[in-house]
Amino acid sequence: MCEIFCFNSNTPKQVNECLECFYNHSEEHPHGWGLATMQSDEFVIRKEPIKATCSQYLRDILSNPVVGKNVFAHIRLATVGEIISPNCHPFIEADDNNRSWMLIHNGTIFDFPELDKYRDVENGDTDSERILLYIIDKVNEFEKAKNAPSTIKERFNLLTEVITDLSRNNKLNLMFYDGDLTYIHSNMRDSLYYLKNDEEFLVASTPLTDDENWKSVELNKLFGLIDGSIIFESEEHENEFILTEEHERAMEELLKAISRDEIND
């Protein structure tokens, strides 16, 4: 699987120390790294298909202050897709109303045939990129039927339904951002944690500091964050993901296939 990171605050703050701790986990997640920050209301995406601790590019980035209100990071352990730059998270795409969406994912889609149609149009070949394309299509459909842009609340309600459907039989730890809301979802126990104070949220696959106030993200709910506060919280769905031997065998086969591709290259 992968690890994911999100910082959401009411004022821009430097997050280098947390990012350095996060990227140090790449020994177990060696197949790529990514970083997304907002600058002048636009995403700046930087990523590479190499281990984070081996990246001179990342060292150069972290040698300067990384400051923002919305910062997202990812380290990849590939289960679906080759080890190439287009398969590194974050993914970014625009909807029909020119709103940019960004997504990072920790998990695997085992059963959701509706994503298959995106195989021919995505830039890479990951299930995670297909999730983003599917989300955007659902937003486009809603706004076309409404004949107007959606409100923040309408998007949250729509995405609650979409994520509930996607989470059935799939591990779906997600962080995504639509320029207004940061969305957080987890459906596997002990796989996503948060640290909260009056000004900011820090969310990561494992606690990044010694602070005793880290807590598990509540399962099977979608949360919408703005400026370090939860603005929206969905009802709880019933699609907790429990890893089985069948899932483990499937992921082992996927990893073997990726290793064979690396050797052949």
Side-chain angles (χ1 to χ4, degrees):
M1 298 290 182
C2 305
E3 287 197 17
I4 54 180
F5 167 99
C6 167
F7 176 77
N8 181 268
S9 176
N10 64 355
T11 57
K13 294 185 179 179
Q14 184 172 327
V15 292
N16 291 61
E17 186 174 345
C18 287
L19 285 174
E20 287 168 1
C21 179
F22 174 76
Y23 285 124
N24 280 338
H25 298 172
S26 65
E27 291 302 315
E28 296 180 357
H29 304 81
H31 297 142
W33 65 269
L35 177 66
T37 56
M38 288 293 293
Q39 296 180 14
S40 301
D41 294 326
E42 292 185 358
F43 289 107
V44 176
I45 306 288
R46 291 168 284 193
K47 55 187 181 180
E48 282 184 306
I50 64 174
K51 188 192 300 183
T53 52
C54 295
S55 171
Q56 183 60 51
Y57 182 29
L58 181 58
R59 282 195 290 272
D60 291 344
I61 292 170
L62 296 179
S63 68
N64 297 293
V66 178
V67 179
K69 291 175 60 178
N70 295 282
V71 180
F72 301 86
H74 188 275
I75 46 177
R76 185 175 183 228
L77 177 63
T79 55
V80 177
E82 297 180 74
I83 302 171
I84 55 175
S85 185
N87 286 339
C88 293
H89 308 220
F91 300 102
I92 185 171
E93 193 64 56
D95 64 25
D96 287 346
N97 275 308
N98 229 15
R99 183 187 301 110
S100 291
W101 292 74
M102 186 283 317
L103 178 143
I104 54 179
H105 174 216
N106 165 24
T108 302
I109 301 299
F110 295 96
D111 179 23
F112 202 79
E114 291 92 328
L115 296 185
D116 290 346
K117 66 180 180 181
Y118 301 103
R119 293 178 183 272
D120 295 333
V121 297
E122 62 180 331
N123 293 311
D125 58 352
T126 66
D127 50 5
S128 304
E129 186 180 3
R130 295 192 283 273
I131 292 170
L132 177 59
L133 296 174
Y134 178 72
I135 285 172
I136 288 173
D137 269 0
K138 289 299 183 182
V139 172
N140 287 339
E141 289 171 10
F142 178 87
E143 294 183 336
K144 184 177 180 180
K146 183 185 178 184
N147 199 29
S150 56
T151 66
I152 294 175
K153 179 59 173 172
E154 286 173 336
R155 287 199 300 280
F156 182 81
N157 290 343
L158 172 65
L159 269 298
T160 295
E161 296 178 7
V162 170
I163 297 304
T164 297
D165 288 342
L166 274 165
S167 65
R168 292 189 182 95
N169 303 316
N170 300 307
K171 183 184 177 187
L172 202 67
N173 284 4
L174 279 178
M175 300 172 178
F176 56 105
Y177 183 60
D178 67 5
D180 295 308
L181 272 181
T182 292
Y183 301 80
I184 306 290
H185 177 268
S186 175
N187 70 332
M188 184 174 179
R189 291 184 186 277
D190 303 321
S191 63
L192 199 62
Y193 299 84
Y194 73 94
L195 184 65
K196 169 78 173 100
N197 63 31
D198 291 339
E199 299 179 344
E200 63 195 46
F201 256 95
L202 186 61
V203 190
S205 297
T206 59
L208 300 177
T209 68
D210 294 330
D211 195 307
E212 296 179 353
N213 293 312
W214 283 91
K215 299 177 181 178
S216 292
V217 171
E218 193 170 352
L219 285 183
N220 303 338
K221 288 186 175 184
L222 186 65
F223 295 92
L225 279 60
I226 295 179
D227 291 344
S229 296
I230 295 175
I231 304 300
F232 302 122
E233 177 179 340
S234 74
E235 296 293 323
E236 183 178 348
H237 61 68
E238 298 180 349
N239 303 326
E240 178 181 353
F241 179 77
I242 298 174
L243 189 65
T244 65
E245 291 183 1
E246 183 179 355
H247 292 131
E248 290 178 336
R249 284 195 298 270
M251 288 189 290
E252 285 174 5
E253 289 303 315
L254 290 167
L255 286 169
K256 286 178 183 177
I258 289 168
S259 296
R260 286 195 297 269
D261 290 341
E262 283 187 280
I263 292 170
N264 293 334
D265 289 344

